[in-house]
Amino acid sequence: MQEGIIVKKSTEFSIKIIKYCKTLVGKREFEIAKQLLRSATSIGANVYEAQFAESKLDFIHKMKIASKEASETLYWLTLCENIDDYELPECLLPELKSIIAILSKIIVTSKKNQP
């Protein structure tokens, strides 16, 4: 598999989220940590799975799922950003927004290039 920028960015983002969720668990915020961990790591899982898609339509579908998971992750991070004692790392929201932009571009481009 050739590692593209979206694979790299989503994997790196997942690692940062895993570390951040450990701090939430330390604050006994189990439910938010669980929801954030699931949606954020699902972005990378779907991006990675898309690299092995059976068809162009399957690739687009998996990227759309990754995009939806990214939107959900944005919701959870926005909540965390607005709760004073959660100490959200400054890098997470900009990195997520970059991933969302890349996913959107990939989906649009893939649809245009579809036979």
Side-chain angles (χ1 to χ4, degrees), residues 12-75:
E12 290 171 355
F13 182 73
S14 291
I15 292 166
K16 289 176 183 174
I17 287 292
I18 291 166
K19 291 176 181 177
Y20 177 61
C21 285
K22 285 181 182 181
T23 67
L24 291 177
V25 168
K27 293 178 183 292
R28 305 190 56 76
E29 295 296 344
F30 303 113
E31 193 59 36
I32 290 177
K34 179 178 156 184
Q35 294 288 348
L36 177 59
L37 185 65
R38 283 186 179 185
S39 65
T41 57
S42 183
I43 300 165
N46 280 287
V47 165
Y48 193 86
E49 189 177 347
Q51 306 309 300
F52 301 95
E54 296 175 10
S55 66
K56 185 67 110 177
L57 282 175
D58 187 35
F59 176 82
I60 293 168
H61 177 70
K62 286 173 176 44
M63 287 298 190
K64 283 183 176 180
I65 293 171
S67 181
K68 287 180 180 183
E69 295 294 340
S71 295
E72 181 180 342
T73 301
L74 182 59
Y75 169 76

Side-chain angles (χ1 to χ4, degrees), residues 9 13 77 89-100:
K9 281 185 167 286
F13 182 73
L77 286 180
E90 289 183 26
C91 65
L92 292 180
L93 280 171
E95 286 183 28
L96 177 59
K97 289 175 182 178
S98 172
I99 289 168
I100 290 170

